[in-house]
Amino acid sequence: LNDKGIFINNQRLMPIDIGNSNNVHILLKDPSINIAIVETPVKCILEYGLGYSTADVGIFLNLYENEKYLEFDHIRDVEDICYAKSVVVEEIEPDGFAILNADNPIILEAQSRTCSNMMFFSTDIDSRNIRDLIDKGRICAALDRDRIVIYDKRDRIIPCYLDEITNISLDKEFQIHVLLAFCLTLYALQWNEIDIRDSLKKLSENYNLFQNS
């Protein structure tokens, strides 16, 4: 479910406006769906809510100060936007996972409002935030030159080499954010290194996921 409509198995079923969270129920009522991916823009959260109660995985992808959000009476600054977006990682099942962008200190503060397990990602393997989290044994994914590495305590896996994602242009930061979060999501769902890599290769053939932040 994204801004172009509802897709199941890469086929667009309905070109609806997902600015209304009420449309999420269309996915959740389909018994053939095992995994549903729902994009929840800030405007959608502020006007309608999430459209679901809890999720197994929630991602706090990025945070930008956007003037269009200031039209809401209770949004004054980027911290208020953060509180709105952090609802996605607050409403997670206790045994689920919240995935947070470790490159943004304000996003990291959402840890205090998160009751589930947590994972973190960074576009810079040498950043202080991600190194501290790795040293603490937290599950993290980071961009390390031409590859993505997932750290899980003593284990380290490489689910993606960027040159394998041939049909996706990763020249924008938010696209790297999506790729890192996608790898962690599949890892949270207990996919192994080979299956994550195969999934990414298939995804590069249909790359709608990487076209919007």
Side-chain angles (χ1 to χ4, degrees):
L1 183 65
N2 62 29
D3 67 344
K4 295 181 176 62
I6 291 179
F7 290 77
I8 298 179
N9 292 331
N10 293 329
Q11 299 296 316
R12 187 169 73 165
L13 300 186
M14 301 178 68
I16 63 173
D17 176 13
I18 55 85
N20 187 333
S21 298
N22 292 328
N23 290 325
V24 175
H25 79 277
I26 298 173
L27 279 179
L28 302 182
K29 287 183 177 180
D30 190 327
S32 68
I33 295 176
N34 295 319
I35 298 175
I37 301 174
V38 180
E39 182 181 4
T40 49
V42 172
K43 185 176 185 294
C44 172
I45 294 172
L46 292 173
E47 291 187 339
Y48 307 106
L50 289 175
Y52 58 87
S53 298
T54 57
D56 295 313
V57 179
I59 302 168
F60 199 152
L61 194 65
N62 45 40
L63 183 65
Y64 304 111
E65 191 162 13
N66 194 320
E67 290 185 0
K68 69 180 181 181
Y69 300 137
L70 299 179
E71 66 188 47
F72 295 93
D73 292 338
H74 49 295
I75 298 295
R76 297 159 298 179
D77 49 37
V78 69
E79 283 81 7
D80 288 339
I81 297 172
C82 180
Y83 266 89
K85 297 190 76 168
S86 68
V87 173
V88 174
V89 292
E90 292 171 31
E91 301 303 321
I92 303 294
E93 292 290 334
D95 58 348
F97 287 89
I99 298 175
L100 304 175
N101 185 340
D103 291 336
N104 190 309
I106 300 177
I107 292 178
L108 282 180
E109 291 177 2
Q111 293 180 76
S112 63
R113 303 188 296 277
T114 303
C115 299
S116 61
N117 304 299
M118 285 179 278
M119 295 178 168
F120 305 87
F121 67 86
S122 172
T123 58
D124 181 8
I125 186 61
D126 295 319
S127 77
R128 180 174 179 178
N129 285 345
I130 204 69
R131 294 308 316 181
D132 286 347
L133 289 163
I134 291 171
D135 291 343
K136 291 176 181 176
R138 311 303 290 271
I139 300 176
C140 300
L143 183 64
D144 185 0
R145 295 184 294 276
D146 62 341
R147 61 187 183 176
I148 286 175
V149 182
I150 294 178
Y151 296 84
D152 186 355
K153 298 182 177 66
R154 295 178 179 271
D155 295 330
R156 188 181 73 165
I157 72 169
I158 302 173
C160 174
Y161 288 90
L162 297 187
D163 60 4
E164 295 177 334
I165 314 298
T166 55
N167 294 329
I168 298 175
S169 177
L170 296 172
D171 56 347
K172 296 181 179 179
E173 186 180 50
F174 79 81
Q175 294 171 318
I176 301 295
H177 290 163
V178 172
L179 185 58
L180 288 159
F182 185 78
C183 289
L184 279 179
T185 298
L186 296 186
Y187 189 73
L189 296 175
Q190 299 184 341
W191 288 38
N192 62 39
E193 180 178 7
I194 295 174
D195 288 341
I196 296 174
R197 184 173 297 170
D198 289 344
S199 177
L200 284 168
K201 290 178 180 178
K202 292 177 182 177
L203 182 66
S204 68
E205 300 170 3
N206 186 313
Y207 56 90
N208 292 327
L209 183 64
F210 289 82
Q211 299 310 297
N212 299 286
S213 63

